[in-house]
Amino acid sequence: MSIACELSNPNLKKTKAAESSVGKWIIISKILLFRVFCGLLCLSALICLCFSFSSCICNNKQDEAAESSSSSKGMLFRNQNVSRSEIDAMLSLFFDSNQVTSFECRKESNDPGMLENYGITCSLSTRVEKEEEENEEEEAKKIKRHVAELMSSSSSSFEENEEGVHHELVVLFYVMNKWHWWWLVLSVLVGGHVIFEFHQRKIEVSSFLQDKQQCKRSGRWRKNMLRLGILAGVSLSVLWFWDTNEQLLFQRKETLTNMCEERARVLQDQFNVSMNHVHALSILVSTFHHGKTPSAIDQKTFSEYTERTNFERPLTSGVAYALKVTHSERERFEKEHGWSIKKMEIKDQTLVAGFDPAPVQDEYAPVIFAQETVSHIVSVDMMSGKEDRENILRARALGKGVLTSPFQLLKSNHLGVILTFAVYNTNLPHDATEEERLNATIGYLGASYDMPSLVEKLLQQLASKQTISVNVYDTTNASSVIKMYGSEVGDMSEEHISSLDFGDPFRKHEMHCRFTQKPPIPWLAIMPPGFALVITLLLGYIFNEAINRIASVEEDYQKMMELKARAEAADIAKSQFLATVSHEIRTPMVGVLGMLKLLMDTDLDAKQMDFAETAHGSGKDLISLINEVLDQAKIESGRLELEHVPFDLRFLLDNVSSLLSGKAAEKGIELAVYVSSNVPAVIIGDPSRFRQIITNLVGNSIKFTQEKGHIFISVHLTSEVREPFETEDEILKQRLGSDETSCNTLSGYPAVNATGSWRNFKTFQDHSCDKKTELLVTVEDTGVGIPFDAQSRIFTPFMQADSSTSRTYGGTGIGLSISKRLVELMQGEIGFVSRPGVGTTFSFTGVFGERERDSSALELLDQSIQEFQGLKALVIDSRNIRAEVTRYHLQRVGVSSVDIASSLATASGKLVNLDLVLIDKDAWNKEEYSDLLKEQPSTRPSPKIILLATFTTPSELSEIKSSGLVDEVVMKPLRMSVLICCLQETMGSGGGKKRQTNRKPKNLGKLLRGKKILVVDDTAVNRRVADAVLRKYGALVTCVDSGKAAVAMLKPPHDFDACFMDLQMPEMDGFEATRRVRDLEEEMNKKAECSRKWHTPILAMTADVIQATNEKCIKCGMDGFVSKPFEEEELYSSVARFFDK
Amino acid sequence: MELVQMQKSLQDYTKSLFLEGVLDSQFLQLQQLQDESNPDFVSQVVTLFFQDSDRILNDLSLSLDQQVVDFKKVDPHVHQLKGSSSSIGAQRVKNACVVFRTFCEQQNVEGCHRCLQQVKQEYYLVKNRLETLFKLEQQIVASGGVIPAMELGF
């Protein structure tokens, strides 16, 4: 047996190894999950198994055979009359898998539902080898085979041994006890595996199908798993119940057996003891009656003696001694005793001593002595009773005590048996023959046993007599069993039978025991599995709900995804539509505008002019709106890209302010620009987009500011703002320091604290310092503010604060949305803070490149800047911030030393050694000023006085000028160019000579003079015109009429400086020609690396200036395009890129 | 006195051409291109235009009269005409060409026929007017006058 165990162990190891190797090549997580699940099941099953195991062992009081095979074998051995070899063979079948086996597995009709899980009806003949055990399936098969073997072997023994059906079932039960857990685990494993395999195959097949279906399938898979789990749970609890119940029943049976056996043994012992005493009595009679002459015993002595020794025979109701009397001796005997031998009679089914003399017989057995209790049978011939006669005959033949079958005793009416001993005259040896015994017989001693009282008495002595009922039967004659004791009460279903040996081999007795009560309802067996079942069902319910929920959520998710995709598609379509439509509208609108412009140039009367101007203005508005929409659409469809060109931020802001100053002045709003000195002069970015944002924000501010206050544009580096306490920037300091209510603003009207608008910017939250220049631009106004409820949607396209806004102020509400997108494109953020009634401050950041100052662009200004260096200026302004702004502008034009005074009064002490005094109009007071001048010693030429005015009527202006108190009046917003002009005029340095009113510095003639240009056009007229135009600017023009000719001309080496190419030409169009030329150049460049790189600028000439065409031009290698017919400015700007170097 | 009258009428006539939309600013630019080194540049160009256009219109008529109209041939012709007319500033011809091209795109034969007629009409109009203009100029030159510079202020 231990060998079998050892054989099974390596198998186990092997399977483990096999499993691990299996795990290597299946790495899908689902499988892992499945394994974990199975493992958990196995674990729980194992724990249960251990429990059942130990309890089983305890209950059966077995040896501590922990090993299942050994214990099962023990069971088999004990309970079944199976030979040892048979068991060994069976066990070897169990565990020996390394040998060739042939087996059959059947679905047994009487098996308790275990095999249903397999549903196997198979006949296998497999050669199983160690090496083949590679995967789970084979493992499963192997175990299945074990089970099958078990079944077949037990069923075969079943057939062999029909008598032992009961035992066989017990064996089966025991085996089941050991194995059904494994079966369960296996069924779960195999079932799960089958389902999983099935599922996986399905997945493989349909892996290319839609996600949706997969999703459903996984839902179904989960459902299947759940069903399996519930099934397993239910069967587990049923099995548990069944198992516990079986154990209880077995225990009960065991108890019954023990009690029954105990009773039987006690009864038997008592009987035997009493029989021995009767035997002793017979010897007494033989010794003292027959051995002595004259006899030492007479009736009186006998009865007395027996009465007194009755305690030794508690079970006998009475003893009597009969003498063997032959017929020949009868007369003598009767005479001797003085009575005749009487016959035994049966009356009313009771034995009664008759008084009739016994009939003539060979032999008589008249009772001569009898115990007091049975004294009535003295002189009765025992041979006359049938039972007694047989008994006597058998007793004397055997020399042992023999028993009669039970019959009604005389008098007592109880069932009883008569024990008879023969009394011999000689001491016979044990092996005496029957003949010898017969001859030696001289008498018979009989004792009657009252069975019911006997058994009653006995049971009184034993414990728990209430729980079982005992029946005693005489089964000598198998066909008619005589009941000696007991009643037919109690639970008839289970009964234990013990055989009784009363020392008479001829007689057979049995004791039947049964419980008086039906087995109680096995709560112990019902409760725990019941709980397990409830838990399983609850879990199942919960999981089912969860699965349903998951499924519904997944479905919802799918729907959402679908909707999302549709929404996105719709959004893209919308953007494309907008882009297309806007473009389509813009093209004819350009025509409308052009025509209107032409119309305005014609002779119109005032009314017509007004109409035309209105139409033109509206058209321009429409164009700008369309441009905005187009921008929005472009941004949304992701087609907008930013340029990266160097530009001067301060110039750009000057431009913006001058552009918007008109509008601002109309409304009486003060506009100011301030750029921190830390911001580099030239930055790299997209100036037009930057300008668009600023224009947009300032435009909005102007729109929403009513008749008072200011709009203040300021630019700082974000690094400055990040460390506000280290900054040296006065403006920033003051603004950061001010609170909401303070009027320390540009115009004196309160404005919201600008810090709020950038507080949430990410760039201020993470302190990673970039190499690039990050600017923070704020636009502060004192407008109506944005209502709080509208603040959240301010950046949403086409959303204005409320619908009335568009009615009051016009506009589409697209501007801010575009600005936001543009800012995002500049890797910045936009934010705002607003208080209705106080104002709004917008802030945005943007990342720009930095470049050293572009000298050429500022060449002109540098000259004038040098003029003003070393000048000393005083700014008199009641508003600190405004004074700072003025200082900034002065410093820009080179006035380095600028002092600030808040009013004319305080300025008096500072007027010494000044070249310039700039007085804001708010601080201007004629009288005070006059006083100031008077105080001033006129030793030196008095400083030049410049008045800074925001809005002045022309009459006011002329009045101030004519008063002669000031030298010049400068209209705000301050701009560099304006300031330079003004300073030049007032300082008189260079006078007006250096002023350049016409700022068209270079003309085409200079640019194109002497350049060799090739014109390609198939139309003679066009050629002629282009030729003439270019010739006019001094270019040397060559004309060709086809793309082919152009390619031939432009084949390097050549000496053309540029080429103007028509796009639409027969045979070879402009695109194709350009492509060829570029190819040729490429070739040439490769060949002659040392010499100059060939790249002739090719400009497209086209009548329709559409963005798409432009892109196509660039794509095929052109450098730009000019519209046909040539316009001087456009031509200049296009050509300048190539020749202005 | 006569010369002044002639100059005045020339100016008025030119003005009327612009007002009618027969010509546009491009023609002015052409006139500006004419200088001492290139005294009859405008007439040269215009003559070229006439030659070109006559040929193109001829071709167009032929193409459109065919059973199956090959619009791929028609379109470049119209384009060419459009280009040259815009080059000399024959605005109405150019506009007619634009319409013509849209019909070409739609492959509308009937529309193309109508447009051809329209283009022809416009072309002959501009031809007529320009010829008259040149005649006037020649008269002025012949009588020793100077052609006044056009200052329409476009």
Side-chain angles (χ1 to χ4, degrees):
Chain A
M1 199 169 313
S2 58
I3 295 165
C5 293
E6 278 163 19
L7 272 169
S8 70
N9 280 335
N11 274 351
L12 260 166
K13 279 173 198 161
K14 238 168 271 161
T15 50
K16 272 178 194 167
E19 267 181 345
S20 70
S21 72
V22 165
K24 275 174 198 164
W25 46 266
I26 306 171
I27 20 167
I28 304 165
S29 60
K30 271 182 182 176
I31 292 183
L32 283 174
L33 266 172
F34 176 65
R35 290 271 161 85
V36 168
F37 175 66
C38 287
L40 280 172
L41 259 175
C42 290
L43 203 70
S44 54
L46 268 172
I47 292 163
C48 293
L49 176 66
C50 288
F51 268 109
S52 75
F53 225 167
S54 55
S55 66
C56 189
I57 289 165
C58 293
N59 289 340
N60 297 334
K61 293 168 192 159
Q62 273 212 302
D63 300 340
E64 269 74 312
E67 178 52 54
S68 70
S69 60
S70 68
S71 66
S72 79
K73 188 185 169 183
M75 288 292 176
L76 283 166
F77 197 56
R78 206 188 103 153
N79 292 300
Q80 197 189 4
N81 293 332
V82 186
S83 74
R84 202 181 178 84
S85 63
E86 265 179 322
I87 295 164
D88 277 340
M90 190 169 147
L91 278 163
S92 74
L93 275 171
F94 265 76
F95 295 102
D96 185 2
S97 61
N98 299 332
Q99 287 172 8
V100 181
T101 51
S102 180
F103 58 85
E104 187 175 85
C105 61
R106 263 185 311 227
K107 188 174 178 180
E108 294 283 340
S109 57
N110 62 343
D111 89 65
M114 299 311 286
L115 282 173
E116 275 171 21
N117 287 332
Y118 300 95
I120 310 160
T121 307
C122 60
S123 182
L124 289 168
S125 180
T126 320
R127 182 181 172 84
V128 183
E129 289 174 5
K130 291 178 194 174
E131 293 77 22
E132 281 177 357
E133 299 163 2
E134 282 183 354
N135 54 28
E136 274 184 330
E137 279 170 88
E138 290 213 8
E139 168 68 356
K141 271 185 195 167
K142 207 180 80 187
I143 299 164
K144 271 191 255 171
R145 204 188 59 223
H146 284 168
V147 173
E149 280 165 9
L150 170 71
M151 293 311 297
S152 63
S153 63
S154 57
S155 65
S156 66
S157 62
F158 194 79
E159 284 154 17
E160 278 168 26
N161 195 358
E162 282 197 350
E163 286 169 44
V165 173
H166 181 74
H167 283 196
E168 194 62 54
L169 279 172
V170 170
V171 170
L172 197 63
F173 166 69
Y174 272 114
V175 173
M176 293 273 292
N177 229 359
K178 299 297 159 293
W179 284 90
H180 67 263
W181 297 110
W182 291 113
W183 286 22
L184 190 76
V185 171
L186 270 174
S187 69
V188 168
L189 269 170
V190 170
H193 188 75
V194 165
I195 285 169
F196 183 74
E197 284 276 292
F198 179 63
H199 172 68
Q200 203 175 27
R201 213 178 304 131
K202 258 164 78 187
I203 279 179
E204 273 165 22
V205 168
S206 62
S207 60
F208 52 87
L209 285 180
Q210 288 176 359
D211 281 356
K212 208 172 161 184
Q213 283 176 340
Q214 264 187 353
C215 186
K216 274 186 182 173
R217 192 159 296 118
S218 74
R220 218 178 299 145
W221 185 77
R222 275 197 288 269
K223 280 239 152 127
N224 283 340
M225 284 311 289
L226 177 68
R227 272 185 210 124
L228 193 76
I230 291 173
L231 200 70
V234 170
S235 43
L236 201 76
S237 37
V238 167
L239 268 170
W240 189 1
F241 165 70
W242 183 76
D243 177 39
T244 323
N245 197 29
E246 283 300 308
Q247 277 177 28
L248 285 177
L249 288 181
F250 188 78
Q251 240 172 295
R252 193 174 150 88
K253 193 159 283 211
E254 198 69 0
T255 318
L256 186 65
T257 311
N258 289 337
M259 285 168 91
C260 199
E261 288 291 326
E262 192 188 358
R263 272 154 185 70
R265 293 289 87 76
V266 170
L267 182 63
Q268 200 176 307
D269 290 349
Q270 294 271 350
F271 195 86
N272 284 344
V273 165
S274 135
M275 198 164 81
N276 285 343
H277 279 280
V278 175
H279 196 182
L281 204 64
S282 75
I283 290 162
L284 182 95
V285 170
S286 136
T287 314
F288 291 97
H289 183 63
H290 299 288
K292 298 262 185 186
T293 30
S295 165
I297 303 171
D298 57 0
Q299 164 61 27
K300 196 171 163 257
T301 328
F302 187 82
S303 70
E304 204 172 325
Y305 174 78
T306 50
E307 204 59 54
R308 284 169 66 181
T309 57
N310 200 30
F311 69 91
E312 283 192 298
R313 307 177 301 275
L315 305 174
T316 56
S317 53
V319 286
Y321 180 65
L323 209 64
K324 181 187 174 188
V325 180
T326 53
H327 187 62
S328 53
E329 291 169 333
R330 180 178 172 171
E331 250 175 277
R332 190 182 55 85
F333 178 81
E334 281 179 349
K335 247 182 232 163
E336 199 174 299
H337 283 85
W339 40 259
S340 61
I341 300 168
K342 293 183 191 86
K343 179 182 160 235
M344 203 187 287
E345 278 177 4
I346 294 164
K347 264 184 199 167
D348 303 331
Q349 293 179 330
T350 53
L351 274 170
V352 175
F355 300 98
D356 299 334
V360 177
Q361 277 177 337
D362 287 351
E363 209 180 303
Y364 305 96
V367 175
I368 51 169
F369 306 133
Q371 202 180 333
E372 197 62 40
T373 52
V374 289
S375 56
H376 57 278
I377 60 162
V378 173
S379 83
V380 173
D381 176 19
M382 283 300 148
M383 290 291 251
S384 61
K386 187 174 169 278
E387 296 277 343
D388 295 287
R389 181 186 164 80
E390 270 173 28
N391 230 20
I392 289 163
L393 292 178
R394 264 192 323 120
R396 72 180 182 203
L398 287 171
K400 287 179 182 169
V402 292
L403 290 170
T404 61
S405 60
F407 58 93
Q408 294 295 124
L409 288 179
L410 293 170
K411 277 173 91 183
S412 69
N413 250 2
H414 283 159
L415 270 180
V417 289
I418 305 286
L419 174 71
T420 313
F421 270 103
V423 179
Y424 304 106
N425 53 4
T426 52
N427 201 5
L428 286 172
H430 281 290
D431 52 352
T433 61
E434 213 168 300
E435 194 65 23
E436 283 169 342
R437 287 185 191 277
L438 195 63
N439 291 333
T441 306
I442 47 169
Y444 319 99
L445 191 76
S448 70
Y449 287 85
D450 185 349
M451 279 318 271
S453 55
L454 167 69
V455 179
E456 206 78 51
K457 233 183 262 171
L458 177 77
L459 296 182
Q460 292 287 340
Q461 298 167 14
L462 290 170
S464 61
K465 58 179 170 135
Q466 305 295 336
T467 52
I468 59 168
S469 71
V470 176
N471 285 2
V472 182
Y473 294 95
D474 183 319
T475 55
T476 313
N477 190 347
S479 55
S480 63
V481 177
I482 303 157
K483 188 168 92 176
M484 295 162 75
Y485 172 79
S487 55
E488 297 295 326
V489 292
D491 179 20
M492 300 304 287
S493 59
E494 47 182 342
E495 202 175 41
H496 185 76
I497 300 169
S498 309
S499 58
L500 291 170
D501 182 13
F502 288 144
D504 182 354
F506 182 71
R507 294 268 164 212
K508 284 202 175 78
H509 296 90
E510 276 177 5
M511 179 182 269
H512 291 203
C513 301
R514 60 176 77 94
F515 284 103
T516 49
Q517 270 145 14
K518 292 254 177 198
I521 299 165
W523 289 113
L524 195 67
I526 288 169
M527 292 299 274
F531 282 128
L533 189 69
V534 167
I535 287 165
T536 309
L537 291 177
L538 278 175
L539 277 177
Y541 175 74
I542 289 164
F543 278 117
N544 186 41
E545 286 296 299
I547 285 167
N548 285 345
R549 180 97 187 101
I550 288 168
S552 72
V553 166
E554 270 175 354
E555 205 174 302
D556 286 355
Y557 173 73
Q558 293 289 342
K559 272 186 203 159
M560 293 297 165
M561 289 304 284
E562 210 173 290
L563 287 176
K564 190 178 164 240
R566 270 159 59 186
E568 278 168 356
D571 196 44
I572 289 167
K574 184 203 80 183
S575 297
Q576 278 171 351
F577 171 77
L578 274 178
T580 319
V581 166
S582 307
H583 184 254
E584 290 304 313
I585 295 171
R586 194 160 65 159
T587 319
M589 270 314 287
V590 173
V592 170
L593 282 180
M595 287 302 115
L596 280 170
K597 192 100 173 88
L598 287 180
L599 183 64
M600 277 149 62
D601 288 340
T602 55
D603 258 353
L604 296 175
D605 61 32
K607 212 173 179 184
Q608 287 169 329
M609 198 59 170
D610 182 44
F611 292 161
E613 268 174 0
T614 314
H616 191 254
S618 312
K620 261 162 75 181
D621 284 351
L622 181 57
I623 279 281
S624 68
L625 171 63
I626 290 167
N627 284 342
E628 278 184 352
V629 172
L630 194 58
D631 277 347
Q632 173 76 19
K634 262 189 194 167
I635 292 168
E636 276 180 11
S637 56
R639 283 200 306 221
L640 190 93
E641 280 181 12
L642 291 184
E643 276 186 75
H644 289 280
V645 293
F647 68 99
D648 187 321
L649 182 74
R650 291 175 176 86
F651 268 126
L652 188 137
L653 288 172
D654 277 354
N655 282 343
V656 172
S657 66
S658 73
L659 195 77
L660 295 165
S661 61
K663 270 192 195 170
E666 266 173 37
K667 284 192 137 184
I669 307 162
E670 194 172 345
L671 185 65
V673 177
Y674 175 80
V675 181
S676 162
S677 56
N678 293 331
V679 176
V682 177
I683 53 174
I684 296 171
D686 191 330
S688 59
R689 296 299 174 188
F690 185 75
R691 187 195 171 108
Q692 194 178 349
I693 299 168
I694 299 262
T695 314
N696 207 317
L697 294 177
V698 176
N700 268 348
S701 293
I702 292 172
K703 210 189 313 186
F704 292 108
T705 306
Q706 307 282 4
E707 308 294 332
K708 63 170 176 122
H710 65 270
I711 293 162
F712 181 34
I713 308 163
S714 69
V715 183
H716 292 93
L717 287 178
T718 50
S719 53
E720 280 182 279
V721 184
R722 204 176 279 152
E723 283 117 25
F725 302 110
E726 293 165 27
T727 184
E728 288 169 7
D729 195 277
E730 280 297 324
I731 294 268
L732 194 62
K733 263 186 200 169
Q734 292 187 16
R735 290 181 78 183
L736 290 174
S738 73
D739 57 14
E740 297 264 318
T741 51
S742 101
C743 292
N744 185 18
T745 58
L746 193 79
S747 63
Y749 288 99
V752 287
N753 194 343
T755 43
S757 58
W758 65 69
R759 195 176 293 139
N760 293 327
F761 285 2
K762 276 183 208 124
T763 178
F764 295 109
Q765 274 151 24
D766 55 25
H767 293 265
S768 57
C769 289
D770 264 330
K771 289 275 159 58
K772 282 191 165 180
T773 316
E774 193 172 21
L775 298 182
L776 174 79
V777 183
T778 61
V779 177
E780 178 187 280
D781 71 42
T782 55
V784 292
I786 305 163
F788 289 116
D789 58 334
Q791 289 190 359
S792 59
R793 54 170 198 269
I794 206 88
F795 290 116
T796 320
F798 307 110
M799 284 277 193
Q800 287 185 326
D802 64 82
S803 52
S804 65
T805 310
S806 57
R807 265 178 272 137
T808 319
Y809 302 103
T812 53
I814 203 173
L816 280 175
S817 156
I818 294 173
S819 301
K820 184 172 160 64
R821 302 298 192 102
L822 290 175
V823 166
E824 278 161 9
L825 281 173
M826 291 177 185
Q827 305 163 51
E829 290 154 287
I830 189 164
F832 67 94
V833 60
S834 179
R835 267 180 57 198
V838 175
T840 310
T841 303
F842 275 92
S843 299
F844 70 91
T845 58
V847 178
F848 296 90
E850 198 175 336
R851 217 181 76 171
E852 71 278 7
R853 199 179 164 90
D854 191 337
S855 55
S856 68
L858 295 168
E859 196 180 341
L860 174 77
L861 293 162
D862 277 345
Q863 286 179 348
S864 43
I865 282 169
Q866 278 161 11
E867 288 173 31
F868 306 126
Q869 257 167 15
L871 291 182
K872 284 185 177 173
L874 174 69
V875 176
I876 300 173
D877 197 333
S878 51
R879 310 251 166 256
N880 216 335
I881 288 186
R882 192 161 53 189
E884 286 293 338
V885 172
T886 312
R887 194 220 293 260
Y888 148 72
H889 284 287
L890 284 172
Q891 277 169 349
R892 275 181 73 195
V893 298
V895 181
S896 49
S897 122
V898 181
D899 212 345
I900 291 175
S902 62
S903 69
L904 286 169
T906 53
S908 56
K910 298 175 179 173
L911 283 170
V912 197
N913 294 331
L914 281 179
D915 302 305
L916 267 176
V917 178
L918 292 102
I919 307 170
D920 194 89
K921 198 166 150 277
D922 288 356
W924 173 256
N925 186 312
K926 222 175 181 179
E927 286 77 40
E928 261 186 61
Y929 180 65
S930 307
D931 295 345
L932 190 70
L933 280 187
K934 272 175 220 158
E935 287 171 24
Q936 201 63 27
S938 50
T939 47
R940 276 197 48 169
S942 60
K944 301 285 178 191
I945 310 296
I946 297 172
L947 191 68
L948 303 170
T950 311
F951 19 83
T952 348
T953 54
S955 57
E956 205 180 349
L957 200 66
S958 57
E959 186 202 313
I960 292 168
K961 267 191 174 175
S962 59
S963 71
L965 290 170
V966 295
D967 298 286
E968 188 71 66
V969 178
V970 176
M971 295 300 290
K972 282 195 276 187
L974 288 176
R975 296 195 294 276
M976 194 175 179
S977 52
V978 171
L979 208 57
I980 288 171
C981 288
C982 162
L983 288 178
Q984 278 174 343
E985 234 164 68
T986 43
M987 301 311 284
S989 58
K993 282 166 254 165
K994 279 202 174 179
R995 278 166 69 187
Q996 297 200 4
T997 41
N998 184 6
R999 289 207 46 212
K1000 198 190 272 177
K1002 293 154 190 175
N1003 58 29
L1004 271 172
K1006 209 164 152 192
L1007 206 64
L1008 291 174
R1009 181 151 299 140
K1011 297 280 194 284
K1012 278 206 74 176
I1013 290 173
L1014 181 70
V1015 173
V1016 189
D1017 201 320
D1018 59 321
T1019 318
V1021 182
N1022 290 351
R1023 269 202 313 270
R1024 190 72 184 82
V1025 173
D1027 176 42
V1029 170
L1030 293 171
R1031 233 175 251 282
K1032 187 181 157 195
Y1033 298 122
L1036 305 167
V1037 185
T1038 313
C1039 293
V1040 289
D1041 62 350
S1042 72
K1044 263 185 190 166
V1047 175
M1049 296 290 276
L1050 286 174
K1051 186 179 190 300
H1054 59 77
D1055 54 358
F1056 290 107
D1057 295 303
C1059 170
F1060 287 83
M1061 176 102 64
D1062 188 26
L1063 286 179
Q1064 223 166 14
M1065 288 184 288
E1067 285 182 65
M1068 188 188 285
D1069 66 8
F1071 299 118
E1072 180 60 29
T1074 310
R1075 226 171 280 140
R1076 295 211 180 171
V1077 171
R1078 292 288 176 244
D1079 288 347
L1080 287 172
E1081 283 171 348
E1082 184 83 358
E1083 248 173 66
M1084 197 63 189
N1085 287 345
K1086 269 183 197 162
K1087 266 188 228 164
E1089 281 156 8
C1090 49
S1091 64
R1092 63 177 256 232
K1093 294 273 178 202
W1094 286 97
H1095 185 95
T1096 317
I1098 297 177
L1099 294 162
M1101 290 191 292
T1102 170
D1104 37 15
V1105 193
I1106 304 169
Q1107 190 71 10
T1109 324
N1110 185 15
E1111 276 163 19
K1112 203 175 166 193
C1113 290
I1114 305 296
K1115 212 171 161 189
C1116 67
M1118 288 181 173
D1119 298 279
F1121 68 94
V1122 287
S1123 59
K1124 227 170 23 173
F1126 295 143
E1127 270 176 33
E1128 195 181 343
E1129 274 176 41
E1130 197 192 343
L1131 188 62
Y1132 172 76
S1133 62
S1134 306
V1135 174
R1137 302 221 321 259
F1138 311 107
F1139 298 135
D1140 190 22
K1141 279 170 189 169
Chain B
M1 195 61 213
E2 207 190 8
L3 194 65
V4 176
Q5 196 112 45
M6 278 204 290
Q7 281 176 338
K8 180 86 172 68
S9 69
L10 172 67
Q11 224 159 6
D12 286 348
Y13 187 69
T14 319
K15 213 170 193 173
S16 74
L17 288 183
F18 285 107
L19 289 178
E20 281 170 36
V22 178
L23 295 177
D24 65 8
S25 58
Q26 183 60 28
F27 188 74
L28 280 183
Q29 288 193 6
L30 283 189
Q31 285 185 325
Q32 279 165 15
L33 288 175
Q34 186 168 296
D35 51 21
E36 294 78 29
S37 62
N38 209 349
D40 38 336
F41 170 72
V42 177
S43 63
Q44 271 176 21
V45 171
V46 171
T47 319
L48 256 176
F49 171 66
F50 289 158
Q51 286 169 3
D52 232 25
S53 303
D54 282 336
R55 183 179 51 80
I56 291 169
L57 286 173
N58 225 8
D59 288 353
L60 274 176
S61 305
L62 280 176
S63 306
L64 283 174
D65 283 343
Q66 240 124 40
Q67 289 279 314
V68 182
V69 181
D70 188 356
F71 285 99
K72 275 182 189 161
K73 270 187 192 166
V74 175
D75 189 62
H77 284 310
V78 184
H79 178 71
Q80 222 172 5
L81 189 59
K82 184 188 145 202
S84 52
S85 57
S86 71
S87 277
I88 68 146
Q91 197 176 210
R92 287 169 69 155
V93 179
K94 191 190 93 184
N95 291 345
C97 286
V98 172
V99 182
F100 201 158
R101 284 195 77 187
T102 54
F103 279 116
C104 275
E105 262 172 52
Q106 293 164 12
Q107 311 220 327
N108 184 337
V109 182
E110 206 200 322
C112 284
H113 274 291
R114 260 193 285 124
C115 277
L116 182 61
Q117 291 312 312
Q118 178 75 25
V119 168
K120 273 183 177 168
Q121 207 180 316
E122 297 290 354
Y123 169 66
Y124 289 126
L125 180 76
V126 79
K127 195 175 175 184
N128 248 326
R129 296 292 164 92
L130 283 174
E131 274 168 355
T132 318
L133 189 75
F134 288 137
K135 226 176 261 171
L136 269 173
E137 281 183 4
Q138 275 167 5
Q139 278 175 6
I140 291 169
V141 173
S143 50
V146 183
I147 297 163
M150 294 302 285
E151 278 199 22
L152 282 171
F154 282 99

